[in-house]
Amino acid sequence: MSNIRFKALEITFKRERKSPKNIGKKISGYYGELVFNDHIMQEYLTKAAYQSVKDAKCKGSRISRNMADQIASGMKSWALDRGVTHYTHWFHPLTGASAEKHDSFADPVSGGLAIERFEGKSLIQQEPDASSFPNGGIRNTFEARGYTAWDPTSPAFILENTLCIPTVFVSYTGEALDYKTPLLKSISALDEAATKVVKLFNEDVKRVFSNLGWEQEYFLIDAALYKARPDLGLTGRTVFGHSSAKDQQLSDHYFGTIQERALDFMKDLEFEAHRLGIPLKTRHNEVAPNQFECAPVYEEVNIAVDHNQLLMHLLDKVAKRHNLKALLHEKPFEGINGSGKHNNWSISTDTGINLLSPGKTHFENLRFLTILINVLKAVNDYADILRAHIANAGNDHRLGGHEAPPAIISAFIGTQLGKLLTQFENQQGEDALATNEFDGNINIPKIPEILLDNTDRNRTSPFAFTGNKFEFRAIGSSANCALPMIALNTIVAKQFSDFYASHEALVKEGYDKQEATIKLIKSYLKDVKNIVYEGNNYSDEWLEIAKERGLSNFKTTPEALQVLQQEKYIKLFDEMQVLTPVELAARYDIKMENYVQKLQIEARVIGDLALNHIIPTAIKYQNILIENVQGLNQIFDNDTFQKNAALQLDLIKTISADIDAIRKLVNEMRAQKEKLNALEDNPAKAIAYQQKVIPYFDKIRSHVDHLELHIDDELWTLPKYREMLFTM
Ligand code: ADP
Ligand code: MG
């Protein structure tokens, strides 16, 4: 049988089990062994060098050249002790993937020999030829220089015998060309603004950190089946495929017993992750068949983002070892749930306070309410920024599809907190606040302690308060977590700095500090109510309510991205010193271009598969039917023939109609594409592609999927949904 699908299935049936590498090993025995972590640094660095890394990490101080030489030398010794031969600056260009360019430690010396060298200057900075990374017009290719610079706040690690040094990536003129640069800036912006606010309550606080605990969803399918699906290989999703008779209807996969092969894979994944210090904690089956999720213990945002990037790399690498393919696309399979990434976000102080934890005393509760209300106000005022930062072509398939939150940003706080805010709003009139009398008697309702572990859950909300953190749930599974974190940190930083400025002004007017705080956060409650929604975010009712409230509902990526051009948002990023107007404009353009490129690839794959796989298969089957009909015609009289050939004749007609429609639609789509490709402006092209090319995808698909139902199973060349989703 030459059919590629059957060959692939044959391979999957013969798969042998691959035992995980960590059998019988204690996690604590290998945890972090590939990381140049605090403990290792103390072993390999001089006291002074160790201290300079610590200071850079905790206080943001500069590392001198001399110290950098010492640190590089220590790193080299540690790496060489572990069989490492190369080093690389590891960065996240705007392609979305991580990038590396490996250099050997070995330098030739006289006498035909070589010695291993690694100096401070190679640790601190490199100049990769960056001409092929997206830059959104920031650089011309003839000025291809880009610089990578060491980020000492994220530890170096070993991947495949290569020492990886986390770095930022900037242009010759200093503009950010990556995700890490604005992320680090957003972390400092939030730190600066939040620390001032928190100091109103706790004077000893010196720093505020943002934390992230991500949850990563993914699919696993057998590698042979994956290879027999060119659409999965090139676009990450199946552009064709009739739904399987059984998929997720019975909810029997969710939290079910993990299949042996998937579990072997997960154990290996965890082994690799733990060696790299990624604190993976949970694993479980998700809603769709062959869909899974893992989550680590939360960490400081910068580290957590790097760890998620690494984890996505490991998913791919470890899956290969198990002859599997991990799918990170937001919607690999039509008709069943796609994959997302939840970003659990909180802020905490250097003194160990989680600022989103309700307290026990009135004083702690006022602090909690101040933080909570400011965060909610930021989400209300800058909801469009959050939406823009989760937009990509893949996520458009999920948002609003009754499997993930809608494209409308809202927040959920739960009934208890909701009641508390109402109580707070009604408790004191403006008059009471205007007097100086209530000093020492702030009537903040006591937040029941029970709240800490009894938050209600609303799985349909894009931004839900879950007891001591917010869970941002609308992020796509393939996204770099830096994007939503940059957005969240920046808008909250802006809100805190506005709050602080207004607070200072009130104090100058003679208000007592606490009075000023209460007056301000009460004045925010109207905006807070506007963004809080406790109901079912999947319902039609919410669409109506949200419209009345004036909340945006940008259903597609180009619509969602367009806000990045608005003056209000350009100013926001500039004022918070996260992205300059030039950098933001470049990102806007890159994202629009990336969107177009993805759709161009999808359109091509759809056209090619339709013409090279689907139509030839349909014609083959049609010929079999025609032969059969001709044979029947020869052996039967006309009446008997009519009776016996009715089904075949019908099928021949149906297949002809589908073939005809597919050919016509593919031609139209191609013509449309050609017309749009002449557009020069990326945003205009993105919008046109969304409106004029995407509609063909579903139309063509419906005919192809219809053919799949009718054509002899033995002839069909593309692995079917039931095979990809249930063969493991
Ligand atoms: P669920 O599926 O109920 O949301 P999970 O255990 O899958 O719960 O994921 C919860 C995530 O939230 C984990 O990554 C966890 O580390 C993270 N998390 C817990 N507390 C905090 C916090 N204070 N700040 C940020 N993330 C947190
Ligand atoms: Mg969750």
Side-chain angles (χ1 to χ4, degrees):
M1 168 78 54
S2 65
N3 185 321
I4 181 176
R5 168 170 153 247
F6 280 83
K7 275 191 184 159
L9 282 169
E10 209 170 29
I11 295 171
T12 67
F13 295 147
K14 289 188 189 150
R15 290 283 190 218
E16 276 179 23
R17 196 173 162 183
K18 282 258 176 345
S19 297
K21 289 181 177 172
N22 59 346
I23 288 180
K25 289 185 182 163
K26 216 164 131 189
I27 297 176
S28 57
Y30 53 80
Y31 190 87
E33 69 180 1
L34 297 178
V35 187
F36 197 62
N37 57 30
D38 202 75
H39 177 75
I40 299 285
M41 275 198 282
Q42 294 187 58
E43 193 182 323
Y44 279 86
L45 299 184
T46 60
K47 261 195 179 150
Y50 169 72
Q51 196 53 47
S52 74
V53 179
K54 274 227 103 134
D55 288 349
K57 230 163 103 174
C58 305
K59 297 181 201 151
S61 51
R62 283 186 89 86
I63 293 174
S64 72
R65 187 54 186 275
N66 171 29
M67 281 302 149
D69 278 335
Q70 288 192 32
I71 297 161
S73 162
M75 259 188 203
K76 184 188 77 179
S77 305
W78 172 72
L80 292 180
D81 285 351
R82 277 150 192 82
V84 169
T85 54
H86 287 65
Y87 64 91
T88 181
H89 277 196
W90 184 76
F91 57 103
H92 311 310
L94 297 169
T95 52
S98 37
E100 310 158 14
K101 180 185 157 251
H102 298 192
D103 279 32
S104 165
F105 280 125
D107 266 347
V109 288
S110 60
L113 301 173
I115 54 168
E116 273 92 4
R117 267 198 246 270
F118 185 49
E119 285 169 9
K121 64 176 196 294
S122 310
L123 166 67
I124 290 179
Q125 187 174 309
Q126 294 226 303
E127 194 190 313
D129 173 15
S131 51
S132 293
F133 289 115
N135 63 70
I138 283 180
R139 284 163 323 159
N140 296 315
T141 24
F142 57 85
E143 295 165 339
R145 275 182 294 180
Y147 289 103
T148 50
W150 179 32
D151 165 20
T153 61
S154 183
F157 56 89
I158 296 170
L159 210 56
E160 321 291 352
N161 293 330
T162 299
L163 173 69
C164 299
I165 298 146
T167 56
V168 295
F169 179 43
V170 296
S171 73
Y172 178 59
T173 39
E175 277 101 1
L177 296 172
D178 67 345
Y179 290 108
K180 197 190 257 285
T181 308
L183 177 69
L184 293 175
K185 288 181 173 175
S186 77
I187 291 169
S188 330
L190 181 66
D191 171 23
E192 194 180 315
T195 303
K196 278 188 191 162
V197 173
V198 177
K199 269 183 186 292
L200 297 173
F201 301 92
N202 303 75
E203 279 184 22
D204 55 332
V205 167
K206 290 192 186 67
R207 290 197 69 181
V208 171
F209 302 97
S210 38
N211 309 301
L212 163 64
W214 41 263
E215 299 163 52
Q216 176 75 50
E217 291 180 342
Y218 59 94
F219 279 87
L220 287 177
I221 69 166
D222 188 276
L225 296 173
Y226 169 78
K227 284 189 184 138
R229 291 282 320 207
D231 50 354
L232 272 181
L234 298 180
T235 70
R237 72 182 185 97
T238 52
V239 295
F240 301 140
H242 199 282
S243 59
S244 165
K246 171 185 186 288
D247 46 49
Q248 67 186 36
Q249 307 94 320
L250 304 177
S251 298
D252 50 355
H253 192 255
Y254 191 52
F255 278 43
T257 310
I258 303 172
Q259 302 94 309
E260 202 174 70
R261 195 168 166 206
L263 191 60
D264 285 344
F265 158 81
M266 288 178 191
K267 286 178 184 165
D268 252 353
L269 175 74
E270 286 164 7
F271 175 58
E272 297 290 352
H274 287 155
R275 293 178 79 201
L276 283 163
I278 305 171
L280 274 194
K281 186 85 178 163
T282 69
R283 58 181 182 217
H284 66 82
N285 284 1
E286 259 302 325
V287 174
N290 278 5
Q291 190 187 26
F292 308 95
E293 182 187 296
C294 62
V297 175
Y298 71 92
E299 301 171 281
E300 191 275 312
V301 165
N302 182 33
I303 310 281
V305 168
D306 280 355
H307 279 168
N308 182 251
Q309 284 296 111
L310 263 178
L311 193 273
M312 291 197 283
H313 167 82
L314 291 182
L315 277 169
D316 192 58
K317 183 181 112 173
V318 177
K320 279 197 188 111
R321 191 188 302 152
H322 287 258
N323 294 311
L324 293 165
K325 177 71 192 175
L327 306 177
L328 287 172
H329 192 282
E330 282 75 15
K331 194 76 176 177
F333 304 101
E334 191 83 11
I336 55 173
N337 280 13
S339 301
K341 176 139 60 191
H342 294 177
N343 276 198
N344 294 274
W345 174 89
S346 67
I347 42 180
S348 57
T349 67
D350 57 341
T351 56
I353 306 166
N354 176 350
L355 294 168
L356 286 168
S357 256
K360 292 189 176 124
T361 63
H362 283 198
F363 164 79
E364 285 173 348
N365 282 338
L366 180 60
R367 182 185 67 214
F368 167 68
L369 280 184
T370 304
I371 303 293
L372 181 86
I373 289 171
N374 271 293
V375 171
L376 291 168
K377 165 126 171 90
V379 174
N380 179 67
D381 293 3
Y382 298 101
D384 290 353
I385 281 299
L386 293 180
R387 173 66 185 97
H389 281 76
I390 54 169
N392 70 42
N395 219 14
D396 284 0
H397 293 279
R398 277 175 78 241
L399 298 183
H402 287 222
E403 56 172 285
I408 309 164
I409 299 292
S410 73
F412 170 85
I413 56 171
T415 29
Q416 276 181 317
L417 261 188
K419 263 192 220 152
L420 185 93
L421 289 192
T422 314
Q423 226 177 312
F424 174 57
E425 190 177 22
N426 299 332
Q427 226 157 25
Q428 261 152 3
E430 292 293 320
D431 296 346
L433 283 172
T435 71
N436 283 326
E437 282 168 16
F438 77 92
D439 190 31
N441 180 26
I442 344 146
N443 206 357
I444 302 287
K446 190 165 159 52
I447 297 167
E449 267 175 63
I450 192 170
L451 188 70
L452 283 167
D453 43 34
N454 190 25
T455 41
D456 26 358
R457 290 289 179 124
N458 181 335
R459 294 268 165 203
T460 66
S461 174
F463 194 74
F465 184 72
T466 51
N468 58 2
K469 61 188 190 299
F470 275 100
E471 187 170 349
F472 193 9
R473 294 208 187 97
I475 299 150
S477 48
S478 70
N480 184 320
C481 289
L483 277 171
M485 293 295 103
I486 290 167
L488 198 50
N489 282 346
T490 306
I491 65 171
V492 173
K494 165 75 176 145
Q495 176 52 37
F496 278 147
S497 79
D498 286 354
F499 168 85
Y500 189 76
S502 310
H503 192 273
E504 263 190 325
L506 286 179
V507 170
K508 252 194 209 136
E509 270 177 44
Y511 281 87
D512 154 276
K513 268 192 197 170
Q514 276 175 345
E515 261 181 296
T517 301
I518 292 173
K519 185 178 168 62
L520 276 173
I521 58 176
K522 271 193 172 182
S523 73
Y524 296 157
L525 286 175
K526 194 166 144 263
D527 288 338
V528 166
K529 277 194 202 150
N530 192 54
I531 200 72
V532 167
Y533 181 62
E534 304 291 300
N536 178 4
N537 283 253
Y538 297 175
S539 68
D540 291 338
E541 186 195 9
W542 171 229
L543 295 180
E544 286 306 311
I545 299 173
K547 207 188 226 168
E548 277 164 33
R549 292 188 189 181
L551 299 176
S552 312
N553 183 5
F554 299 124
K555 293 203 180 87
T556 67
T557 294
E559 285 174 274
L561 290 178
Q562 275 185 332
V563 304
L564 296 179
Q565 278 182 310
Q566 288 173 16
E567 197 52 37
K568 172 181 170 190
Y569 302 128
I570 296 173
K571 264 169 81 182
L572 163 78
F573 283 105
D574 199 25
E575 190 190 328
M576 291 297 106
Q577 296 182 16
V578 174
L579 288 166
T580 64
V582 171
E583 288 170 329
L584 187 66
R587 261 147 230 264
Y588 171 66
D589 197 66
I590 289 168
K591 279 184 186 156
M592 288 290 200
E593 187 182 23
N594 178 270
Y595 177 81
V596 172
Q597 286 164 340
K598 286 207 166 135
L599 293 189
Q600 279 171 333
I601 295 170
E602 289 194 357
R604 278 188 180 172
V605 170
I606 289 171
D608 290 352
L609 280 184
L611 300 190
N612 306 335
H613 275 246
I614 310 301
I615 292 184
T617 305
I619 290 176
K620 259 187 217 160
Y621 186 50
Q622 209 183 24
N623 283 339
I624 295 175
L625 293 171
I626 291 170
E627 259 174 50
N628 177 266
V629 170
Q630 283 169 340
L632 292 175
N633 198 10
Q634 278 175 15
I635 59 171
F636 289 126
D637 61 65
N638 196 37
D639 266 7
T640 324
F641 166 72
Q642 290 297 343
K643 238 187 270 162
N644 284 296
L647 174 80
Q648 292 89 318
L649 286 168
D650 250 11
L651 254 178
I652 291 171
K653 277 187 222 153
T654 307
I655 292 171
S656 283
D658 280 327
I659 292 177
D660 218 46
I662 291 171
R663 213 182 330 242
K664 191 169 143 276
L665 287 166
V666 168
N667 284 339
E668 278 177 28
M669 177 178 77
R670 286 180 168 173
Q672 187 61 258
K673 243 183 76 196
E674 238 158 75
K675 228 181 358 186
L676 300 185
N677 286 347
L679 293 174
E680 298 258 313
D681 178 55
N682 283 325
K685 214 185 210 173
I687 292 162
Y689 255 85
Q690 193 275 317
Q691 290 171 350
K692 295 188 176 144
V693 176
I694 285 192
Y696 285 104
F697 293 2
D698 275 351
K699 283 189 205 157
I700 296 170
R701 180 179 192 137
S702 77
H703 291 286
V704 171
D705 292 356
H706 186 245
L707 282 175
E708 186 187 321
L709 273 191
H710 288 94
I711 284 174
D712 183 357
D713 187 62
E714 276 198 36
L715 295 178
W716 198 256
T717 56
L718 296 175
K720 297 187 170 182
Y721 270 30
R722 61 165 186 265
E723 293 153 356
M724 289 184 285
L725 294 171
F726 292 100
T727 316
M728 173 76 93

